[in-house]
Amino acid sequence: MNIPFLGHRRQKPGVRDAEGLAELLAECELLRSQVSRAGVRLDDSPASLEALDQMVPGSWRDDEDTLTRLGNDAGLYLGTVIVRTVPGAVWEIRSDGQPVVRLASGREFDVVDSGRAWAAGGVPELSQLYAEVAEA
C-alpha cells in the first residue's frame, strides 16, 4: 500500500510524528465496517485478531477491489495491534511508501502483505502471525 504523502512531509530528516502515523494507519475503515456488520468488535487487542480469523469470508473475495482494500486494512489492523501491544514495535514507512512494522530487534514485518494473503485465503491466520511476532 503506497501512501505517498507520508514520505514527503516537511520536517527534519529522521523525525516523524509516530503517534499521528499510528492513528492514521489504525483507521482501517473498510475492515471495521465489514466486521461490525458481523458483530465483531475491533479493540486493538490480540483477541480481536482471533475473532477476525473466525469470520466467514464475505462477498469480499468476489470483488478484486474490495479484496485488495480489505487485505490492506487487515494488514494495517494487524500492525496496529502489534505496535500497541508488543514492546518496542513501531510503524515505519519504507522508501517505496509501504508501511511496515519494525520490532525492537530490528526485524521488519510487512503486515500489509500478510493482510492481503489473509483476505484472499484466510491463511496465515492473523492471530498466528501476531503470536510469531510477539514471540520474537
Side-chain angles (χ1 to χ4, degrees):
M1 177 172 158
N2 189 358
I3 307 176
F5 67 88
L6 291 176
H8 301 290
R9 296 187 290 171
R10 295 178 186 257
Q11 55 185 287
K12 294 179 186 175
V15 176
R16 291 206 183 261
D17 175 11
E19 190 173 309
L21 178 60
E23 289 304 312
L24 176 66
L25 296 176
E27 288 181 4
C28 312
E29 269 185 64
L30 179 61
L31 179 69
R32 290 181 190 275
S33 169
Q34 291 276 335
V35 302
S36 70
R37 284 186 238 148
V40 175
R41 184 170 165 264
L42 300 182
D43 61 2
D44 301 343
S45 71
S48 65
L49 294 172
E50 292 174 16
L52 279 174
D53 289 336
Q54 299 304 312
M55 282 186 54
V56 175
S59 59
W60 73 70
R61 289 190 180 153
D62 298 334
D63 178 356
E64 189 66 33
D65 182 52
T66 302
L67 177 67
T68 300
R69 290 176 49 226
L70 189 71
N72 285 339
D73 278 6
L76 294 175
Y77 184 70
L78 171 62
T80 296
V81 175
I82 293 169
V83 167
R84 292 187 175 166
T85 61
V86 175
V90 295
W91 282 109
E92 297 247 334
I93 304 297
R94 291 190 315 214
S95 61
D96 65 357
Q98 182 76 4
V100 295
V101 171
R102 182 173 305 277
L103 303 179
S105 67
R107 182 174 163 219
E108 192 176 274
F109 191 66
D110 187 343
V111 292
V112 172
D113 188 49
S114 298
R116 289 178 183 155
W118 174 83
V123 177
E125 292 181 337
L126 298 174
S127 59
Q128 177 186 358
L129 290 166
Y130 173 82
E132 291 171 13
V133 170
E135 196 175 278

